[in-house]
Each structure stands twice: as structure tokens, then as C-alpha cells.
Amino acid sequence: MHALLEPELWAALFTLAALEIVLGIDNIILLSLQSYDMSVAQDLIDDYLAATIKETVKEFKWFVRLHPRQLPLRDVLKAELDKLGLLNEVVVDNANDLPMPAILSRASVHMTKSSGSAIEAAIMAVPNIILDEHGAARYEEYIRQGSATLYLGKDPKALAQVIRSTIANRKAKSINLESNWDFILHLQ
């Protein structure tokens, strides 16, 4: 409860709302990073994910969130994004400072290898894109039910198309739900 009194939290929430309302950004992609072995030196963002971000930076606003165990690596992530020429194109600080539900409430798609945040996304009706075999096994039910899409490839153009299709499907479902709701309201 004390966190709600923090001015930084309110500033971050305002920034997120401003991105959507003022700038008209409505295609927010939340990429939740997951590291299986923190003792091994590894890039935080796989090459194909970095290439996908570059491919879609004009279409989507990318939020890259570290796993809570990775939070001490925020500066490493920023340096990696800077080296890739993506630091100014990706939201890192707000992605890691805002509560997950606040980001998911604005996200069009959630992407992860196997992060537990896929559960939160599914609860909030945000479609997941699962990016590896471990996640495929962990979220087999979500994939089967259609609340997650499995993409195991490494082709940035193909992944960008999966993201576009996922957003289009979500918008179509939303329109259908709104139409159904309008129909129900007019039955009275």
C-alpha cells in the first residue's frame, strides 16, 4: 500500500497513459525476459528478438521487462539496447517500475519465453506469444485454448507477422464482444 504513495509510481503511470492517449500509441508489446541460468553470461535479448523490434519499431511500442531476479541487470539491458541502436526505441524504466497489471492493461500482446507473467496476461485477456519449448510445455493449456500462440522460429519477419496477426485477432474478438454486448443491451 505504501507504494501507492510514491510519486515515481504516479509519474510512471501518467507516462504510460500519455503514451496511449496523447501519442495515440495503442500497440504496446510487453516483452518479459526470462533467464534460465543467471550465472552464465548471456545476452538479455536474443538476436532475432532485437531484429524483430527493429523491424516493427514504427508499428509498435516495445516495453522490455526484466524478470525480478534480473532487476540488478537493468543497466546491462540498457547498454545492450544501446549497442543494438534500440535504447531510444524501447521502454525499459517504466516497463520495470510500473506494476505488471498497469502495463498489461494497456498492452496489445505479451511475449515471453516462459515467464509466469503469461499467467497474469491470460487472466487480463492479453494474448501471449510463447517463444520457446520450455514455455510451450508450461503453457500448453493456454496454447490449446487460444490465449497463447506458440512461435518457436527465429525469423524476425515471421515473428513480426505473428504479432500483427495476434493483434488483429484480439481486435476482431473485441469487436465481436462489443457487438454481442450491444445486442444484449438492445434486448431489453
Side-chain angles (χ1 to χ4, degrees):
M1 197 61 141
H2 175 67
L4 292 176
L5 301 175
E6 297 295 327
E8 294 83 9
L9 173 67
W10 290 103
L13 284 170
F14 176 76
T15 301
L16 182 60
L19 280 170
E20 185 174 7
I21 297 166
V22 177
L23 300 177
I25 295 172
D26 62 353
N27 286 331
I28 294 175
I29 310 300
L30 174 59
L31 174 60
S32 294
L33 300 179
Q34 181 74 26
S35 178
Y36 299 117
D37 187 353
M38 295 284 293
S39 66
V40 176
Q42 58 187 350
D43 289 338
L44 293 170
I45 298 183
D46 294 324
D47 292 340
Y48 79 98
L49 290 172
T52 303
I53 294 170
K54 286 180 184 177
E55 170 87 15
T56 61
V57 75
K58 298 220 184 312
E59 295 175 76
F60 310 128
K61 188 62 182 173
W62 287 83
F63 279 54
V64 178
R65 187 176 180 99
L66 292 160
H67 187 278
R69 288 185 313 239
Q70 295 173 310
L71 287 176
L73 300 176
R74 185 184 301 209
D75 289 337
V76 173
L77 173 61
K78 286 181 175 181
E80 189 175 317
L81 290 166
D82 191 35
K83 183 179 172 186
L84 294 166
L86 292 171
L87 184 58
N88 295 324
E89 308 297 338
V90 173
V91 176
V92 174
D93 288 327
N94 283 345
N96 289 282
D97 293 338
L98 286 169
M100 180 65 86
I103 300 169
L104 287 170
S105 73
R106 302 280 199 252
S108 297
V109 172
H110 173 257
M111 295 175 49
T112 187
K113 289 182 178 181
S114 65
S115 172
S117 57
I119 297 167
E120 292 174 84
I123 290 169
M124 294 184 70
V126 176
N128 285 292
I129 299 175
I130 305 299
L131 301 170
D132 78 359
E133 294 86 2
H134 183 71
R138 189 171 187 188
Y139 299 113
E140 180 179 3
E141 185 69 16
Y142 289 168
I143 295 165
R144 191 181 59 71
Q145 292 174 350
S147 63
T149 300
L150 179 61
Y151 179 78
L152 297 178
K154 304 293 183 201
D155 179 5
K157 291 187 185 309
L159 179 53
Q161 189 53 47
V162 169
I163 296 168
R164 289 182 196 104
S165 296
T166 302
I167 291 172
N169 289 341
R170 183 180 191 203
K171 288 180 179 177
K173 286 179 185 176
S174 176
I175 290 169
N176 288 339
L177 288 174
E178 288 173 19
S179 297
N180 290 344
W181 184 246
D182 287 343
F183 175 75
I184 291 167
L185 289 176
H186 288 93
L187 288 176
Q188 297 180 0

